[in-house]
Amino acid sequence: LDIGSENRKETVLGDIVVLNFDVMSTPSISLNLKGLSDDNNPLGWGIACYPNDDQASFIVNDPVARAPRGLTESLAEWQDFRSTTFVCKIKGIFNQDYTHHETQPFSRSFAGRDWVYIHNGDLDKNKLESFPARRSRLLEPLGKADSEMAFCYLLSLMCEANVRELSDVNPNELLSWFMKLNEIGTADMVISDGITTAIYYGFSSPNNIFYSRCQPPRENDILNLNTT
């Protein structure tokens, strides 16, 4: 993804990109799909935000983007959407028959807000289905993706804990939920209620995680990424 302002852009290589701002902002986001053709493995992508920091999320995605056209061009109009939270996901879907409702980020309404979720990795569906949790018809996945199943599982735990916001969950308890999912596969995860965003870096993840904290003044407008 190319992220920045009108005067400067930085290219970020990665499957997951999360942007959190102290105030509502409108980053310039574009997808660099140069070199792809209809003969290449397609890239599925999705971006979510909370316009005007309202309770409702806004998601634009494309499960089979093959060239920098179509929905990717709609990102140029995002100056109308101001938010403090942006989550982005790019994934090569290869031969998987993904549809729009199986393309991340996922969004579900829970406790009066839209929650969004991104997962990078693979989970054992059979083991995931056996996890004890409250079975709610309101929290059933729309598609067949293991990632959406994990999202619904996490929300069912939120329901059992009787919480309304992500910040209401004890950090150690939230970590234990993430680690339980990590035990049945690989799991880099992001979950947000539009107020708080939590990121989990799986202990068996094949990828690195990078972060940067940018603060004014901005004499040197450079995005420095650190790995952990």
Side-chain angles (χ1 to χ4, degrees):
L1 299 97
D2 295 323
I3 304 172
S5 61
E6 294 181 357
N7 298 324
R8 183 181 184 87
K9 287 190 177 182
E10 298 289 342
T11 299
V12 178
L13 301 178
D15 299 323
I16 293 175
V17 176
V18 180
L19 303 175
N20 273 125
F21 299 94
D22 295 328
V23 296
M24 286 192 294
S25 304
T26 306
S28 172
I29 301 175
S30 61
L31 303 180
N32 186 352
L33 302 179
K34 294 178 180 179
L36 290 179
S37 68
D38 290 344
D39 296 328
N40 294 126
N41 288 324
L43 291 175
W45 60 269
I47 299 176
C49 71
Y50 290 82
N52 299 316
D53 276 358
D54 290 334
Q55 294 93 330
S57 65
F58 172 83
I59 294 180
V60 56
N61 62 33
D62 189 349
V64 288
R66 294 178 183 267
R69 61 177 183 268
L71 283 178
T72 57
E73 297 175 355
S74 69
L75 299 180
E77 304 301 324
W78 272 41
Q79 63 265 25
D80 295 329
F81 296 99
R82 293 171 56 80
S83 176
T84 56
T85 302
F86 294 83
V87 294
C88 317
K89 167 74 173 176
I90 297 179
K91 179 177 176 61
I93 66 173
F94 303 103
N95 294 322
Q96 300 184 51
D97 186 19
Y98 274 25
T99 60
H100 280 284
H101 61 267
E102 291 173 326
T103 303
Q104 303 184 50
F106 296 116
S107 176
R108 279 300 183 98
S109 295
F110 175 76
R113 300 191 63 87
D114 281 348
W115 295 53
V116 297
Y117 175 83
I118 285 179
H119 165 236
N120 196 31
D122 294 295
L123 301 174
D124 188 316
K125 290 185 180 180
N126 293 328
K127 292 182 179 179
L128 183 55
E129 289 178 342
S130 68
F131 279 6
R134 180 179 298 173
R135 303 300 179 183
S136 170
R137 286 178 293 179
L138 300 177
L139 295 176
E140 292 180 358
L142 299 178
K144 301 178 181 179
D146 57 324
S147 302
E148 189 184 15
M149 292 173 60
F151 183 28
C152 292
Y153 169 71
L154 288 173
L155 290 181
S156 70
L157 294 176
M158 303 281 182
C159 186
E160 288 186 348
N162 196 30
V163 300
R164 300 190 61 83
E165 296 180 0
L166 185 56
S167 59
D168 293 335
V169 184
N170 183 286
N172 291 327
E173 186 172 18
L174 181 60
L175 177 61
S176 70
W177 297 347
F178 286 147
M179 293 181 67
K180 187 173 181 63
L181 290 171
N182 203 156
E183 290 173 355
I184 61 170
T186 53
D188 296 338
M189 293 173 281
V190 177
I191 188 169
S192 177
D193 61 357
I195 304 172
T196 304
T197 300
I199 301 175
Y200 175 78
Y201 178 51
F203 51 78
S204 56
S205 174
N207 304 310
N208 291 324
I209 185 171
F210 300 89
Y211 69 92
S212 178
R213 171 65 170 166
C214 299
Q215 295 176 293
R218 301 175 61 184
E219 290 109 359
N220 298 317
D221 189 8
I222 299 175
L223 180 64
N224 293 314
L225 296 177
N226 304 303
T227 182
T228 182

